[in-house]
Amino acid sequence: MVAIFSFVSAVLSPWVSQSIVAQRAKAPKASPRARTQSAPAQHPTPASTGQNPDGSDQVTLYVGNLPFKTNEQNVEETFSEFGHVFAVRLVKDRRTGKKKGYGFVEMSAQGADEALNRLNDSEYEGRTLKVRFANTERKD
C-alpha cells in the first residue's frame, strides 16, 4: 500500500506543481496595499460629522489617568464647567467590567480648547489627568 502511494505521489507531484505555477502565472498580481484597502465606513451620526443636530460643532477629547473609582457623572460635571458635554464614555475591561482608567468626552468645540488647556496635567481626585484631542478617522 505504501509503495503504491509513493509511486502515485512521485508521478503526480510534478504535474500538480506545474499546474499550480501555471495558475499563478495567469492570475493578475494585486499589490499588497490594494488587497488591504477598503472603502471608508459612512456613518450619518453627529459624532462622525462633527456637528450636533442643533448645528454646533463637537469635539471628542481623550482623558487618561482617571481614577478607577470615578464615574461618568463626575467626569461630566468636571468638563461641563468649560462647555456643553454631550457624552462621556469610560472604558471598561470586557472580562472583568472594571474601569481601565481612561475614557472619552464629547463636548462643544468652544469649550474643548479651554478644557484641554485647564485640565491637562491638573490634579483630579489624587491623579494627574492627561487630556488630548482624540484620534478620529480622517474623512478625505
Side-chain angles (χ1 to χ4, degrees):
M1 181 75 127
V2 174
I4 295 173
F5 179 74
S6 300
F7 175 76
V8 172
S9 64
V11 171
L12 293 180
S13 177
W15 178 78
V16 171
S17 64
Q18 287 177 355
S19 65
I20 291 173
V21 170
Q23 288 175 354
R24 288 184 182 167
K26 290 179 186 177
K29 293 188 177 185
S31 68
R33 183 171 286 221
R35 280 185 258 143
T36 59
Q37 288 180 342
S38 62
Q42 298 293 329
H43 302 288
T45 60
S48 67
T49 60
Q51 286 193 345
N52 293 305
D54 64 357
S56 63
D57 287 338
Q58 121 180 355
V59 176
T60 303
L61 296 175
Y62 162 82
V63 184
N65 203 25
L66 285 167
F68 298 109
K69 63 181 178 176
T70 194
N71 59 28
E72 286 86 356
Q73 185 178 3
N74 293 346
V75 175
E76 182 176 354
E77 289 172 3
T78 302
F79 279 83
S80 64
E81 295 175 18
F82 305 102
H84 182 69
V85 175
F86 299 105
V88 176
R89 295 183 317 267
L90 299 183
V91 178
K92 297 178 182 178
D93 185 270
R94 286 185 188 180
R95 192 170 40 90
T96 62
K98 293 181 180 179
K99 294 182 182 99
K100 289 190 166 187
Y102 69 95
F104 300 93
V105 176
E106 294 177 15
M107 64 182 303
S108 62
Q110 297 89 6
D113 287 328
E114 186 178 354
L116 188 139
N117 291 333
R118 301 264 311 270
L119 293 176
N120 186 39
D121 292 329
S122 67
E123 195 74 18
Y124 179 75
E125 296 183 13
R127 300 194 71 169
T128 304
L129 287 182
K130 299 295 178 189
V131 181
R132 308 277 190 264
F133 285 107
N135 294 335
T136 57
E137 292 182 19
R138 295 181 187 217
K139 308 287 185 203
D140 293 330

